[in-house]
Amino acid sequence: MASTDIINDWIPIEWDSEVIQRIQRESAIEQLGYRVPMSSATKRILRSAGLTVTAGTTYTDDTSTNDYITLTARRLIAKFTVDEDDLSDAATVVDTIRIKGMDWAISYADSFDNACIGVSAAENGSTVPFTSAYKSLRTTNSATGYTADDNYLTWDDDLIAIPSTPVGTSLYEKLSTAFKKVETGQFWSMADQFVVAAPGWRDALRLCTDAQGRPIFQPASGSTPETLFGAPVTWSRGAKVSATMLGAPTGNDLLLFGNRSYLKKGERSQPESLVDQARAQDNTDDTAVKFRVRRAFQLAHEKAFSIVERVTD
């Protein structure tokens, strides 16, 4: 490709590229979310309340309530410009896009996770692209019979060891309670259980001790447990509370436990890039590069999840 060639259409980023691989490594929701292909901006998914099974020879009509959730795809976008003097040949163009693509992959992963897990405000389609897990579990939903905060817990990080804390307030007890809220319901699955946690929880798990001061969560290797009560842990920098979607949120650390089958991730389009070179009518000799991906997100049922917020004094 000559340096004067014009690229004027969106180019899909290949699945085996460094950019895609980096997104998959960095984003918990991209890794764990149940993929729902979307050919339009919205898609309805049946939310079933189950099916009653009876014994005998006479069939009985099921009376369970069925309704729908609606996934709405949002564009997650980024753009940068570069002086054309720094793009002397085609190889430089490709390398610049690759490097900036890696930067975008990291930022996108953190922002997407934050939007799906920790944003506390109501969905507005722009600064709050989705209804996050945090918002869902803190809001009453009459359609599912879920009451606000039923599956939401807080843990004061001063109360970490047993038995130096009041009964029920230690980290171990809080985490166990969070797991119990899901495990005792009809939406738990041993095969599909997962944990997503902010990296700040790593220190908390290492310091969680029993009455003899011994670590409770013994790592299989290294110094930090990678499973919690048998559920694999995925670490996410986006798993923090924030008022709007942020690439570097600074709010309280969150730990989300649940069933990945109910963690719906809509995919309208895969990551893609667009290069727009300087034109004669432009006032500067700058090349613009855009990145975008179109995603949707929603919890299929609140009772399939629980969340713990780490409160610091």
Side-chain angles (χ1 to χ4, degrees), residues 220-269:
S221 61
S223 58
T224 303
E226 300 302 326
T227 62
L228 189 59
F229 301 130
V233 180
T234 300
W235 306 101
S236 170
R237 290 182 295 268
K240 288 175 170 283
V241 179
S242 64
T244 59
M245 180 182 71
L246 296 173
T250 58
N252 290 337
D253 292 339
L254 296 174
L255 184 148
L256 177 68
F257 169 66
N259 182 338
R260 63 184 297 180
S261 296
Y262 291 85
L263 195 73
K264 303 299 185 182
K265 180 192 66 170
E267 296 185 355
R268 176 78 191 278
S269 71

Side-chain angles (χ1 to χ4, degrees), residues 116 159 189 292 313:
C116 296
L159 306 174
S189 167
R292 76 179 183 188
D313 294 332

Side-chain angles (χ1 to χ4, degrees), residues 12 20 25-26 64 71 107-108 138 144-145 154 171 182 192-193 196-197 216 236 245 251 258 273 282 302 304 309:
I20 297 294
R25 286 198 304 269
E26 301 290 338
S64 301
L71 292 174
S107 298
Y108 162 69
R138 305 215 62 189
T144 59
T154 59
L171 175 58
V182 177
D192 294 319
Q193 66 178 351
V196 174
I216 292 177
S236 170
M245 180 182 71
S273 64
D282 293 337
E302 296 86 357
E309 181 175 354

Side-chain angles (χ1 to χ4, degrees), residues 98-157:
R98 183 187 67 82
I99 293 172
K100 298 304 291 187
M102 294 293 285
D103 291 341
W104 174 79
I106 297 170
S107 298
Y108 162 69
D110 293 342
S111 298
F112 184 53
D113 280 4
N114 182 238
C116 296
I117 299 171
V119 176
S120 59
E123 178 178 342
N124 62 21
S126 55
T127 58
V128 185
F130 318 116
T131 298
S132 73
Y134 183 84
K135 179 63 175 176
S136 294
L137 295 179
R138 305 215 62 189
T139 305
T140 295
N141 187 349
S142 59
T144 59
Y146 177 79
T147 302
D149 292 347
D150 271 359
N151 286 20
Y152 164 78
L153 297 91
T154 59
W155 169 67
D156 186 333
D157 64 3

